[in-house]
Amino acid sequence: MEKILQKQWEERDKKLYKAVIFKDFQEAFTFMVRVAFLAEKNNHHPKWTNEWNKVEIWLSTHDAGNVVTEKDRNLAKEIDKLLEPSA
Ligand SMILES: C[C@H](O)[C@H](O)[C@H]1CNC2=NC(N)=NC(=O)C2=N1
């Protein structure tokens, strides 16, 4: 996937937050489809927004009282793997 800007994960407001900007909507939506499959596999789902080429993601664990847990850190790592240049 062709990225234009990728920020590192930040912990904000008891959530892991990341923003990624892609070349266009098709690239952004391809990424979202891949994240959706990861989320289903992990039974752990992001809060996210998409506007054209930008995807913003917030990860927290509702089941643990809306805090950041290992589940969030693991999903964040797997999402980053999708964003590696070789992926
Ligand atoms: C019942 C179901 O397994 C849970 O509600 C799962 C589903 N996906 C989830 N996703 C996230 N981000 N946090 C959760 O606590 C969570 N819980």
Side-chain angles (χ1 to χ4, degrees):
M1 286 160 295
E2 202 171 323
K3 302 173 298 288
I4 290 174
L5 179 75
Q6 180 186 178
K7 297 264 183 79
Q8 295 308 307
W9 291 97
E10 299 174 19
E11 199 158 336
R12 278 193 192 177
D13 246 346
K14 297 188 188 166
K15 294 177 187 66
L16 296 180
Y17 169 79
K18 186 178 185 101
V20 193
I21 296 178
F22 294 89
K23 180 172 77 78
D24 56 22
F25 177 71
Q26 185 172 326
E27 295 287 315
F29 200 75
T30 298
F31 168 70
M32 292 177 80
V33 168
R34 297 178 75 181
V35 172
F37 279 97
L38 271 183
E40 275 299 279
K41 187 188 79 181
N42 292 322
N43 193 23
H44 202 61
H45 302 80
K47 172 184 174 183
W48 55 6
T49 63
N50 160 240
E51 188 175 6
W52 181 44
N53 64 343
K54 181 173 186 180
V55 179
E56 292 178 278
I57 304 174
W58 294 262
L59 301 177
S60 72
T61 304
H62 323 301
D63 298 356
N66 293 307
V67 294
V68 175
T69 66
E70 274 314 291
K71 287 186 179 180
D72 301 298
R73 298 193 191 285
N74 288 340
L75 184 57
K77 254 184 235 165
E78 294 203 45
I79 289 172
D80 280 349
K81 279 187 210 154
L82 295 180
L83 292 167
E84 281 170 12
S86 55

